[in-house]
Amino acid sequence: MQLPAPRGPLTGFLFDRLARPPHDLGPAPEPAGGPPLGDEDLQLALFACYELHYQGFDEVAEDWEWEPSLLAVRRTLERRFEAGLAEAVPRPPAVPAGTPARMRRALAGLVAAADGGPSLAAFLERRADLERFREFVVHRSVYHLKEADPHTWAIPRLRGAAKAALVEIQADEYGAGRPGRMHSELFGATMRGLGLDDSYGAHLDRVPAVTLATGNVISLFGLHRRHRGALLGHLAAFEMTSSVPNRRYARGLRRLGGDDAACRFYDEHVQADAVHEQIAAHDMCGAFAAEHPGLAADVLYGAACALALDRLFAEHLLGSWERGVTSLREAGPRRTARDGTARDGTARDGTARDGTARDGTARDGTGLAVSGR
């Protein structure tokens, strides 16, 4: 993946420095401004800082990952992000100490309270046209092409029953040892079936701040041990709100002509997450809260953050579509590399990074893999 186009003074500064050998960054500019959860400059800068702990960027030296001055910039951005989360997501009431069943009931109560308003899943099931469904998949690609990785940070920070439960969930996410069954690989097949480029990070320039925030919050929780309770709560909310929406996504995609290979990602989550939600809420979060009663409130806060950001994401997509406009950004011009080549999204093999598939065929909505029905 290449560095994306800057979205303000902060990312302009940051991406210019990251393309050079590691060095002290010095003072960084302020982000472009606005509420932190919707600040394009801040969210993209955070995403770039976090991505150095995942697959990284082609033109960024690996030694940047732990460069102290970059970590200092990231910490400043994280404080703003955390302040934005605190303002947007009230902390739920603490769950009384006790059995894992109490935590499960508390999480279920949060999920039930959040289940209101317009449903993105229902829209995609019944009303979305092909281009709207493709937009949705482009948004989700930023997370799903590395699905499970951000939550896996919690494994070395747990022990006992909570750790065993998390490993059980993550083993399924990673295909139980079968590469082709990894959920990230299944999502890649969905993208190809929809005629979309499934290269890692191919659509980063198109997704807005609200989409980046839904992924950044997992990395925020995952990269800080103090947030381990929130990370588990976030995963539990993910699992507890997955099975029914994914059934609807599968129905919607089949309505639009998607074949079984394109729908397999959603079909897999209908089955797996119905089991995972019980493991996550009771065995993982319940056991963790019983062992660490002082962190039980963090578990609920992490779940509340997941639910709140998912609501903001759905509101953005549905609101854009109701106005008759795309929910994606126009990709801006990328920086010019030091060797003089354009950083405009052109892939290393010379093919366009505009949604065109890697096989070179045009992806204008006509490339959908359809069933033989």
Side-chain angles (χ1 to χ4, degrees), residues 195-361:
L196 293 166
D197 186 347
D198 67 321
S199 302
Y200 185 82
H203 305 281
L204 178 57
D205 276 320
R206 302 297 313 281
V207 301
V210 67
T211 304
L212 296 175
T214 62
N216 283 343
V217 72
I218 319 175
S219 294
L220 170 69
F221 293 161
L223 288 167
H224 293 275
R225 183 176 176 274
R226 64 188 173 89
H227 286 317
R228 62 195 183 280
L231 184 62
L232 299 187
H234 187 286
L235 178 57
F238 248 34
E239 301 293 349
M240 296 173 75
T241 58
S242 175
S243 186
V244 172
N246 276 289
R247 182 179 291 111
R248 287 178 163 176
Y249 301 149
R251 288 173 178 166
L253 185 50
R254 286 191 168 93
R255 173 179 59 82
L256 294 168
D259 65 9
D260 287 344
C263 296
R264 188 165 294 125
F265 173 83
Y266 301 119
D267 293 338
E268 174 73 15
H269 283 73
V270 172
Q271 300 172 27
D273 292 348
V275 176
H276 288 174
E277 70 171 277
Q278 300 301 323
I279 299 172
H282 186 277
D283 301 345
M284 183 181 72
C285 291
F288 178 82
E291 183 180 2
H292 304 283
L295 298 179
D298 289 354
V299 174
L300 297 179
Y301 181 66
C305 286
L307 296 167
L309 287 171
D310 193 59
R311 185 190 71 251
L312 292 175
F313 172 77
E315 289 174 351
H316 170 72
L317 268 66
L318 291 171
S320 297
W321 296 341
E322 184 178 341
R323 296 191 303 274
V325 299
T326 179
S327 61
L328 297 170
R329 292 170 47 87
E330 289 296 325
R334 296 195 178 188
R335 59 177 297 278
T336 300
R338 284 175 291 162
D339 62 4
T341 58
R343 294 297 192 197
D344 59 358
T346 302
R348 283 175 290 175
D349 62 2
T351 57
R353 289 298 194 204
D354 57 1
T356 302
R358 286 182 289 175
D359 62 5
T361 57

Side-chain angles (χ1 to χ4, degrees), residues 85-96:
L85 288 170
E87 183 176 353
V89 186
R91 278 195 168 264
V95 61

Side-chain angles (χ1 to χ4, degrees), residues 13-14 16-18 20-28 63-64 66-73:
F13 167 88
L14 189 62
D16 177 72
R17 269 60 174 185
L18 288 177
R20 307 178 191 180
H23 61 279
D24 188 286
L25 285 176
D63 285 347
W64 271 111
W66 298 108
E67 209 292 315
S69 64
L70 179 60
L71 294 179
V73 169

